[in-house]
Amino acid sequence: MSAQTYLAYNFPLLSAFWTMLWFFLWIMWFVLLFRVVLDIFRDDDLGGWAKAGWLVFCIVLPFLGVFVYVIARGRSMGRREVAQARTQQGEFQAYIRETAAGGRTSSVDELSRLSEIRARGDMTDEEFRRAKELVLAGHGQAQGPGRGHDPAGHAGSPTVPSSGR
């Protein structure tokens, strides 16, 4: 045993530090290896044979293969990561917008639909004016017949008569 290794094992705290250092270096190595392998499959610029070649190189000689891949294609690897992150962020924001809308249409959409109905002649000008006022007032669609106002304040909800219990 060398003097430096012996010194590390004389002090348990230093031994724990070296063990943790090697442990995290191995974790970082596997993370890098998996990212390189995933990037090989994700890259649309590489053909099938090129992907197979890089994959074999990274599996047969992993340290050298990953090292050469990061040097040769590291910049484009970073660009693909950024592009994927932006795509995921855009999809996430679109999902949030769609979910926040709750399936409701905006007043602009409803007004354009009302204008199309009036242009086809399926609605009179007076009906269009009333519907437009309701949309602009934020009430959505008009209450149909037999629909009232419930005590909880939900417009357009059917009223339920009390049973007297």
Side-chain angles (χ1 to χ4, degrees), residues 15-155:
S15 174
F17 170 75
W18 280 113
T19 303
M20 288 183 357
L21 178 71
W22 281 111
F23 179 73
F24 286 115
L25 285 175
W26 273 106
I27 289 175
M28 287 174 36
W29 159 248
F30 281 113
V31 167
L32 180 63
L33 177 67
F34 289 129
R35 285 187 64 173
V36 165
V37 169
L38 288 175
D39 188 68
I40 290 170
F41 286 112
R42 183 184 309 143
D43 190 6
D44 293 332
D45 295 337
L46 288 176
W49 287 107
K51 287 182 182 185
W54 275 114
L55 192 61
V56 167
F57 189 36
C58 288
I59 290 175
V60 173
L61 299 170
F63 290 109
L64 184 63
V66 168
F67 183 67
V68 171
Y69 186 85
V70 169
I71 290 173
R73 303 188 49 84
R75 183 169 292 169
S76 60
M77 184 176 168
R79 288 185 188 130
R80 281 186 294 279
E81 286 284 329
V82 169
Q84 182 187 15
R86 285 185 181 151
T87 303
Q88 285 179 344
Q89 182 69 23
E91 290 172 358
F92 179 69
Q93 288 176 350
Y95 172 75
I96 288 177
R97 274 188 241 107
E98 179 182 314
T99 305
R104 295 176 289 158
T105 58
S106 69
S107 59
V108 174
D109 293 334
E110 289 198 30
L111 287 174
S112 67
R113 206 168 359 163
L114 286 173
S115 296
E116 290 173 11
I117 293 171
R118 184 178 68 167
R120 285 192 316 244
D122 295 338
M123 178 186 284
T124 64
D125 287 339
E126 180 59 28
E127 290 172 331
F128 175 76
R129 185 188 59 75
R130 283 194 311 237
K132 183 173 81 168
E133 287 174 1
L134 284 173
V135 168
L136 293 176
H139 291 95
Q141 298 180 348
Q143 295 177 3
R147 297 181 76 87
H149 188 0
D150 72 341
H154 299 98

